[in-house]
Amino acid sequence: MRVFLETDRLVLRPFTRDDVDHLLALDNDPDVMRFINGGRPTSREAILERILPRLLHNHPCFGTRGYWAAQEKDTEVFLGWFEFRPLNEDKPAVVELGYRLNKAAWGRGYATEGARALIDKGFTQFGVERVTANTMAVNRASRRVMEKSGLSFLRNYTGDWPEVIPGSEHGEVEYELTRAEWERR
């Protein structure tokens, strides 16, 4: 197994085609998907044709991927994934931070631990200048992870979503962390 990043309790590794069943289970938990698509199930075909290709994509400016499978270090249990993806394919200046973990991993600090490690790696190794993260305004747990990871609230906005899901009427929020702010910590 190739390791992209290791923390005290996590291993982040590149996705492979063998992860389809992990992704299917994750994306078919209505609680996990509540703030993504209202909790609707995801088909195996969607995982294979749309989601997995995005997770396997290499970004030229990083020379690596933008999404990583997260495993518990001691047990190698699949916990979910982390995103640390450049918004411009050819420039590493601005990256989007994201995470999707299974319910068994919630409330245990994994999201914050992985996010902080990715942020540190981005600023020290990839030439990142700004990290951004977005979620629904009502997603308090994700907002708390962003704050604990060092990001600060930037703005509220209304996204143009094709389907309305419960809570979307309250809009979205964006958080950010700049290199200068990170260096001051």
Side-chain angles (χ1 to χ4, degrees):
M1 171 181 67
R2 256 189 359 186
V3 173
F4 173 73
L5 181 62
E6 200 170 312
T7 69
D8 289 342
R9 301 180 300 152
L10 296 173
V11 169
L12 303 187
R13 61 160 177 83
F15 275 98
T16 70
R17 297 203 176 279
D18 294 335
D19 288 308
V20 170
D21 289 334
H22 293 305
L23 293 167
L24 194 60
L26 185 68
D27 283 11
N28 278 285
D29 183 322
D31 292 330
V32 169
M33 299 302 288
R34 175 179 168 206
F35 296 113
I36 309 298
N37 69 9
R40 290 186 314 277
T42 303
S43 69
R44 178 175 286 278
E45 293 75 27
I47 298 287
L48 288 167
E49 295 170 12
R50 190 174 34 93
I51 296 169
L52 192 58
R54 184 180 75 226
L55 301 177
L56 296 174
H57 176 72
N58 283 316
H59 296 275
C61 64
F62 277 1
T64 189
R65 301 206 176 135
Y67 295 88
W68 291 275
Q71 295 180 186
E72 195 171 51
K73 187 191 274 187
D74 294 338
T75 65
E76 296 186 0
V77 168
F78 178 83
L79 299 175
W81 55 255
F82 284 87
E83 170 191 15
F84 200 73
R85 176 183 60 85
L87 294 182
N88 181 322
E89 258 317 275
D90 300 314
K91 297 178 184 166
V94 181
V95 298
E96 181 172 20
L97 172 69
Y99 32 82
R100 184 175 304 168
L101 301 178
N102 64 43
K103 280 191 295 193
W106 292 1
R108 299 178 63 193
Y110 288 126
T112 302
E113 184 174 327
R116 284 179 179 167
L118 283 167
I119 289 166
D120 290 348
K121 187 171 183 108
F123 284 131
T124 59
Q125 295 179 25
F126 289 126
V128 170
E129 294 298 324
R130 178 176 174 259
V131 176
T132 183
N134 305 280
T135 191
M136 289 177 63
V138 296
N139 189 346
R140 295 191 200 307
S142 188
R143 292 179 73 167
R144 184 69 184 126
V145 169
M146 293 173 193
E147 292 164 358
K148 288 169 43 178
S149 300
L151 282 75
S152 299
F153 175 79
L154 179 63
R155 67 184 177 115
N156 279 84
Y157 66 97
T158 304
D160 186 20
W161 295 99
E163 295 183 39
V164 175
I165 62 174
S168 62
E169 68 274 12
H170 299 287
E172 305 281 318
V173 291
E174 180 180 6
Y175 283 70
E176 74 169 352
L177 177 63
T178 65
R179 174 182 289 281
E181 292 164 340
W182 175 80
E183 288 173 345
R184 282 194 295 268
R185 290 194 302 171

